[in-house]
């Protein structure tokens, strides 16, 4: 990002997490919003990505994939391993983003 945000800050990505979980089909518990197979499979810091034109590239190989899965990335400007519950943190300094999932079907 060039320049500063509306608060006058220049936030930077500190870490990118690759998150994956099995696609297990419809959940019978409609109140559940978790998937126990989901986990962070890789963490990347600034030394792990490279600039390619105007984009940053991270490469990772998922090995031994035997079932359908989904993967997505999230990133943060903090040192927190996992996002904390909303509290008194600054919305200008505690930044996170999440991608949409990519679904992989094993054949």
């Amino acid at each position: 990002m060039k320049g500063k945000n509306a608060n006058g800050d220049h936030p930077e990505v500190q870490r990118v997490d690759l998150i994956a979980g099995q696609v297990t089909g419809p959940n019978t518990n409609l109140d559940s919003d978790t998937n126990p197979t989901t986990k962070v499979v890789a963490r990347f810091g600034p030394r792990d990505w490279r600039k390619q034109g105007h984009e940053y590239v991270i490469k990772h190989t998922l090995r031994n994939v035997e079932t359908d899965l989904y993967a997505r990335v999230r990133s943060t400007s903090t040192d927190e391993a996992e996002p904390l519950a909303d509290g008194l943190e600054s919305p200008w300094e505690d930044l996170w983003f999440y991608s949409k999932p990519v679904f992989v079907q094993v054949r």
Side-chain angles (χ1 to χ4, degrees):
M1 177 177 122
K2 293 183 179 181
K4 296 181 179 183
N5 64 20
N7 195 51
D9 302 319
H10 185 86
E12 294 187 16
V13 172
Q14 297 297 316
R15 189 185 73 248
V16 175
D17 297 333
L18 176 59
I19 301 168
Q22 294 176 1
V23 175
T24 58
N27 190 338
T28 56
N29 180 357
L30 299 180
D31 293 326
S32 174
D33 62 354
T34 63
N35 179 340
T37 69
T38 301
K39 63 184 174 184
V40 174
V41 296
R43 288 203 154 118
F44 308 97
R47 294 184 204 167
D48 299 314
W49 54 73
R50 63 182 170 79
K51 192 165 184 177
Q52 186 174 328
H54 295 291
E55 299 175 347
Y56 289 89
V57 176
I58 298 171
K59 292 187 178 185
H60 181 78
T61 301
L62 294 172
R63 301 192 186 285
N64 302 320
V65 175
E66 298 175 356
T67 63
D68 295 350
L69 63 87
Y70 70 92
R72 64 183 182 141
V73 296
R74 75 172 173 204
S75 181
T76 182
S77 63
T78 73
D79 293 331
E80 296 172 10
E82 299 291 330
L84 300 176
D86 286 339
L88 301 176
E89 68 270 3
S90 166
W92 298 102
E93 296 171 9
D94 186 20
L95 302 175
W96 293 80
F97 81 73
Y98 293 81
S99 74
K100 298 264 186 192
V102 174
F103 292 90
V104 177
Q105 186 176 30
V106 176
R107 294 183 180 186

